[in-house]
Amino acid sequence: IMSTCLLEMTPIITDPNTLVLGEGVRRLHVSSAFKAKVAMSRFEPGTSISYEKLHENIDIVRKRLNRPLTLSEKIVYGHLDDPVGQDIARGRTYLRLRPDRVAMQDATAQMAMLQFISSGLPKVAVPSTIHCDHLIEAQIGGVEDLKRAKEVNQEVYNFLATAGAKYGVGFWKPGSGIIHQIILENYAYPGVLLIGTDSHTPNGGGLGSICIGVGGADAVDVMAGIPWELKCPNVIGVKLTGSLSGWTSPKDVILKVAGILTVKGGTGAIVEYHGPGVDSISCTGMATICNMGAEIGATTSVFPYNHRMKTYLNKTGRADIAALADEHKDDLIPDKGCKYDQVIEINLSELKPHINGPFTPDLAHPVSEIGAVAEKNGWPLEVKVGLIGSCTNSSYEDMGRAASLAKQALDKGLKCKAAFTVTPGSEQIRATIERDGFSKILRDVGGVVLANACGPCIGQWDRKDVKKGEKNTIVTSYNRNFTSRNDANPATHAFVTSPEIVTAMAIAGTLKFDPETDYLTAANGEKFKLEPPNGDELPARDFDPGQDTYQHPPAESGSVMVDVSPTSTRLQLLEPFDKWNGKDLEDLQVLIKVKGKCTTDHISAAGPWLKFRGHLDNISNNMLIGAINIENDAVNKIKNRLTGEYGGVPDVARHYKANGLSWVVVGDDNYGEGSSREHAALEPRHLGGRVILVKSFARIHETNLKKQGMLPLTFADPTDYDKIRPDDKISITGLATFAPGKPLKGVVKHGDGSQDIITLNHTFNENQVEWFHAGSALNRMKELQ
């Protein structure tokens, strides 16, 4: 049966409640219509969409807790390794879960696969995929940029392709599209639990999935068949009433929520949308909202299963899954009477278009007010570049609505006053908007269609129109707008909004343009207003799949070779970190006391550094080069306490390590906010760091630090941050009895001979304490083999 299935590429229904899937959705042209078929191979693990098993686990937990469950709880608890014995308490206990699938983007997949190779395991235990989307630099246009990326990154792409083939991991080639769009089109489905090595993995929540961003070490656990740990999340409910219309878009929902909750308001929680307003949002619109939930620190976000999701599943060749979801809908929506830890209510009929920024994604403004706010704050009003696309807003609907505005401008003889770029989310989206004429309209209005990749959203942008340090404004439909993120220019004021507002502002050329009330001047001098955008949710003629860019793992991989040259500058096999020596950590030198916001972009910058993501020593040269040193308000300039000279942060860290001096970083609130990149945890460990001591952590980064044998600690009294001086040494005591729930002590030794004793909290559980003892989670995995 399996052989027949593999040849015919059709789903196997083993019973009425279970659909068995394999590694990837194979695309076939049949009678000019797109049909996605799912293949299963006997040689690699399949995914069982077992709604019966999900229901069984939910029923066990509901009876144990004796209360109605939220949708988030149903899916998460439905994947418990031990639903009978698992201790369950929101915000307190650690859950042991069995995710259905792993997805990795190419920048993080390098380190994840290097760690998996180090584990010594022969094959992945769950279906897993690699997606090549991060290493393509936006420079000229899609075709040229993709060709250049394949040449520049040939060594890395070859490593990922062969490692995938060797260990049973599907490989989506460069040009396939952005990981989260590929997941939505192919792998997400209502009720699935998926982890991805990218912070915007929650995008899949738009299809009723629990999709969570993690570091590569977490992915290795799941690929190794080990239960994955997650602190039992709280659940924030967002009740939507009314309906979207006019210029208001799904993006405005999350822009509003970000303004309410701020960049750390969702930490430790799943955001669950519900209410009658949900049905007015398309499936890809729901994905947009879930995607940007990463900007409020949420574990993930999710919407309940509805007819919009069913339509999307049918249109992307997954009618069988939609039929099963219909049969089990009660497990894919929240129970009546379920309780949320916090509830926010938004009336979509009253919601106005928003734009957030600059420099942080939670600084929310109505579009009608941004011009006045910008004038008051001295932000540049001229929009230099408008950029639409990214994993957040690159759907068919997004592109169609943007094109409807561009067409209005063209009809009046106008083109964009600002530069304008367009990033399709996937090869399927690119091919379909090309066929349906959207790409031509967007090019005609002045746009450049870039490759199906992340591009400028993650700093992969060879920008030429302004010099570094030149103050300017850009507007994007992206998700993140930290200082220097898009173009490495700290003076760029980046604003996040919907594709529709980006397009309108690119046409007008100014931040001081409200398309709901303001007029444009046509080529003939006539004044006119843009009509509200419109666009079909999904293409009337089905999707055009474009080129087949998926590589299925071979049935036999014994002859596949995965080579890493010892002289490579881009790839480096890993050496195990040292185990804990059984003693307290004495006299750790403060390497840097960080002032203010410190995201993973500050700790391990992207952009040009992406090329070193597979080479730990080389990428460590970017460690904390974007963090502000409280001693001098400078970046990448700290005092070497051994020499008395100032140098770059990585250079001083290397000097300390060479001289046997371990060190500690001291930071502020929400330390490690942003991307899931575990390099921000690997680099400090590699360069001799032992402790990161801060007021509070972002979830993913804290876990990543634990995985690498670091001690992420927080001040029991946040005001103790002020007691630390840049030249201090700190000893961490109490490690002999290091245990869950038991604080440690910090002895802060000042240069004048005085001391402060402070209490330090941690969130380690018993398994995580063993990671620390072993030197890393990977070391502990090897001990248990």
Side-chain angles (χ1 to χ4, degrees):
I1 296 174
M2 291 181 183
S3 298
T4 303
C5 178
L6 180 62
L7 289 171
E8 297 183 356
M9 299 180 183
T10 55
I12 302 176
I13 306 295
T14 55
D15 65 59
N17 301 299
T18 303
L19 177 64
V20 181
L21 301 181
E23 262 312 306
V25 173
R26 313 295 287 167
R27 298 167 171 179
L28 303 176
H29 286 284
V30 182
S31 302
S32 301
F34 170 77
K35 292 185 179 180
K37 297 296 185 181
V38 185
M40 177 183 176
S41 165
R42 75 180 78 184
F43 300 105
E44 67 216 29
T47 300
S48 291
I49 302 180
S50 178
Y51 285 116
E52 282 296 317
K53 179 63 176 175
L54 186 73
H55 178 79
E56 179 184 327
N57 285 2
I58 291 169
D59 198 43
I60 291 169
V61 173
R62 187 189 285 113
K63 288 176 181 176
R64 285 183 53 201
L65 299 181
N66 193 30
R67 61 171 173 80
L69 300 178
T70 66
L71 170 61
S72 308
E73 292 179 306
K74 287 183 178 182
I75 301 176
V76 172
Y77 302 162
H79 286 82
L80 285 170
D81 183 51
D82 178 13
V84 175
Q86 172 72 60
D87 188 14
I88 301 171
R90 284 188 196 170
R92 290 198 299 107
T93 59
Y94 280 86
L95 307 178
R96 291 168 64 82
L97 303 169
R98 291 286 184 178
D100 299 304
R101 175 172 284 276
V102 174
M104 300 167 280
Q105 41 94 336
D106 50 354
T108 50
Q110 295 171 63
M111 193 56 66
M113 292 308 296
L114 286 165
Q115 290 178 91
F116 188 82
I117 291 169
S118 296
S119 75
L121 296 169
K123 291 278 185 180
V124 297
V126 301
S128 305
T129 48
I130 294 168
H131 304 258
C132 294
D133 63 358
H134 269 55
L135 301 179
I136 302 169
E137 185 181 47
Q139 190 178 68
I140 301 170
V143 175
E144 300 92 338
D145 294 346
L146 179 58
K147 180 181 178 182
R148 178 171 172 267
K150 288 179 177 178
E151 294 170 354
V152 171
N153 302 309
Q154 181 180 5
E155 178 186 17
V156 171
Y157 291 148
N158 181 63
F159 166 72
L160 293 175
T162 55
K166 182 73 173 178
Y167 296 102
V169 179
F171 180 71
W172 289 84
K173 302 172 187 176
S176 300
I178 305 172
I179 177 173
H180 314 301
Q181 183 66 28
I182 297 292
I183 289 172
L184 200 71
E185 293 173 355
N186 297 276
Y187 299 124
Y189 61 85
V192 73
L193 176 60
L194 179 151
I195 67 165
T197 60
D198 189 278
S199 57
H200 292 105
T201 301
N203 190 80
L207 202 43
S209 310
I210 291 292
C211 299
I212 300 175
V214 299
D218 276 2
V220 171
D221 278 358
V222 179
M223 291 191 292
I226 297 172
W228 173 60
E229 287 191 342
L230 176 72
K231 194 168 190 179
C232 188
N234 291 316
V235 187
I236 298 173
V238 178
K239 183 178 181 180
L240 302 179
T241 59
S243 60
L244 291 175
S245 63
W247 283 91
T248 306
S249 74
K251 186 67 163 280
D252 297 307
V253 176
I254 185 58
L255 294 175
K256 179 71 173 178
V257 170
I260 295 169
L261 289 177
T262 78
V263 290
K264 64 176 184 177
T267 302
I270 293 176
V271 179
E272 183 173 311
Y273 294 86
H274 62 283
V278 167
D279 285 342
S280 75
I281 306 173
S282 67
C283 179
T284 52
M286 289 187 262
T288 289
I289 294 167
C290 292
N291 177 294
M292 201 176 154
E295 293 358 291
I296 57 174
T299 301
T300 192
S301 301
V302 68
F303 277 83
Y305 178 63
N306 67 358
H307 72 280
R308 309 298 285 262
M309 295 182 191
K310 179 178 181 178
T311 300
Y312 186 81
L313 286 168
N314 289 338
K315 203 71 169 180
T316 52
R318 292 172 287 175
D320 293 313
I321 297 176
L324 282 175
D326 281 345
E327 292 177 27
H328 297 274
K329 185 173 182 179
D330 286 348
D331 290 331
L332 305 174
I333 59 175
D335 287 340
K336 290 182 179 180
C338 67
K339 300 298 183 183
Y340 297 100
D341 296 285
Q342 177 183 352
V343 176
I344 296 168
E345 186 164 338
I346 296 175
N347 185 336
L348 300 179
S349 299
E350 297 174 356
L351 183 64
K352 289 293 187 179
H354 272 62
I355 183 168
N356 289 21
F359 307 124
T360 184
D362 60 349
L363 186 57
H365 322 272
V367 169
S368 59
E369 299 175 9
I370 188 61
V373 174
E375 285 183 321
K376 180 181 177 181
N377 289 287
W379 301 335
L381 288 175
E382 180 189 4
V383 174
K384 286 284 189 180
V385 190
L387 307 99
I388 66 171
S390 86
C391 62
T392 320
N393 278 110
S394 55
S395 68
Y396 183 83
E397 181 181 37
D398 289 328
M399 295 298 168
R401 284 169 65 89
S404 75
L405 298 173
K407 181 67 164 56
Q408 293 180 54
L410 289 169
D411 288 346
K412 297 293 185 179
L414 297 184
K415 290 192 174 186
C416 291
K417 289 184 178 179
F420 187 47
T421 70
V422 180
T423 307
S426 67
E427 170 61 8
Q428 176 171 283
I429 296 296
R430 182 210 63 77
T432 306
I433 65 172
E434 193 73 49
R435 180 198 68 192
D436 292 352
F438 298 165
S439 294
K440 183 180 188 304
I441 293 171
L442 295 170
R443 281 193 291 262
D444 287 348
V445 84
V448 175
V449 179
L450 301 173
N452 315 321
C454 300
C457 183
I458 60 164
Q460 284 284 46
W461 185 16
D462 186 21
R463 190 179 181 191
K464 302 292 189 184
D465 64 302
V466 297
K467 295 179 181 178
K468 191 170 184 177
E470 182 180 341
K471 197 173 177 181
N472 74 101
T473 284
I474 64 173
V475 291
T476 82
S477 71
Y478 303 163
N479 43 47
R480 199 163 277 168
N481 60 342
F482 302 140
T483 303
S484 302
R485 178 174 174 87
N486 301 127
D487 61 1
N489 181 5
T492 293
H493 293 55
F495 294 85
V496 175
T497 186
S498 67
E500 298 93 317
I501 297 298
V502 171
T503 304
M505 287 185 170
I507 293 167
T510 176
L511 207 58
K512 197 174 183 180
F513 178 70
D514 179 3
E516 289 192 300
T517 59
D518 294 341
Y519 288 79
L520 295 169
T521 304
N524 64 2
E526 172 193 352
K527 298 287 186 180
F528 74 100
K529 280 174 60 177
L530 292 169
E531 294 295 323
N534 63 80
D536 292 335
E537 177 179 348
L538 294 163
R541 291 191 288 159
D542 289 337
F543 282 108
D544 182 338
Q547 299 180 39
D548 185 0
T549 54
Y550 176 72
Q551 172 188 293
H552 200 61
E556 296 290 347
S557 61
S559 62
V560 177
M561 299 297 294
V562 182
D563 292 325
V564 176
S565 169
T567 60
S568 173
T569 61
R570 298 196 61 176
L571 296 166
Q572 180 187 46
L573 293 175
L574 297 174
E575 294 292 332
F577 290 130
D578 60 302
K579 293 185 177 182
W580 176 57
N581 64 7
K583 302 177 182 178
D584 286 338
L585 299 175
E586 297 285 350
D587 294 331
L588 302 178
Q589 179 65 59
V590 172
L591 176 69
I592 180 174
K593 183 179 180 183
V594 178
K595 178 182 177 180
K597 184 186 283 281
C598 190
T599 71
T600 48
D601 282 78
H602 295 88
I603 304 167
S604 178
W609 291 95
L610 284 169
K611 61 179 174 285
F612 297 126
R613 285 283 181 89
H615 197 293
L616 179 55
D617 193 56
N618 283 346
I619 199 168
S620 293
N621 289 322
N622 77 357
M623 186 190 72
L624 287 160
I625 62 175
I628 298 174
N629 180 9
I630 200 168
E631 185 179 21
N632 54 13
D633 281 339
V635 294
N636 203 29
K637 186 179 180 182
I638 61 173
K639 190 172 185 177
N640 186 323
R641 305 298 166 179
L642 296 179
T643 66
E645 299 175 352
Y646 281 85
V649 181
D651 301 322
V652 174
R654 288 183 186 277
H655 187 257
Y656 287 168
K657 181 180 179 181
N659 285 274
L661 179 61
S662 297
W663 46 264
V664 54
V665 169
V666 178
D668 212 316
D669 263 319
N670 208 30
Y671 185 90
E673 168 192 347
S675 170
S676 69
R677 66 194 66 160
E678 66 183 327
H679 299 77
L682 282 158
E683 293 171 31
R685 183 75 161 100
H686 176 64
L687 294 186
R690 304 299 301 186
V691 175
I692 308 294
L693 173 57
V694 301
K695 292 181 182 178
S696 65
F697 283 101
R699 174 189 63 86
I700 299 176
H701 185 58
E702 181 180 25
T703 300
N704 286 346
L705 288 166
K706 293 177 183 178
K707 287 276 185 177
Q708 303 307 332
M710 295 284 288
L711 273 180
L713 304 174
T714 56
F715 297 103
D717 179 355
T719 63
D720 284 344
Y721 168 87
D722 300 321
K723 295 178 181 178
I724 310 297
R725 304 170 191 171
D727 62 342
D728 284 346
K729 289 189 175 182
I730 302 176
S731 296
I732 308 299
T733 65
L735 290 175
T737 56
F738 185 28
K742 184 177 181 181
L744 297 170
K745 291 291 184 184
V747 181
V748 184
K749 303 175 183 179
H750 306 300
D752 60 7
S754 63
Q755 292 186 356
D756 281 302
I757 309 295
I758 60 177
T759 302
L760 306 176
N761 290 336
H762 65 85
T763 61
F764 281 77
N765 62 25
E766 291 181 359
N767 288 336
Q768 294 167 350
V769 170
E770 291 175 351
W771 299 345
F772 173 73
H773 290 160
S776 71
L778 188 59
N779 288 356
R780 180 59 179 159
M781 184 191 299
K782 289 181 179 179
E783 288 177 355
L784 295 174
Q785 285 182 23

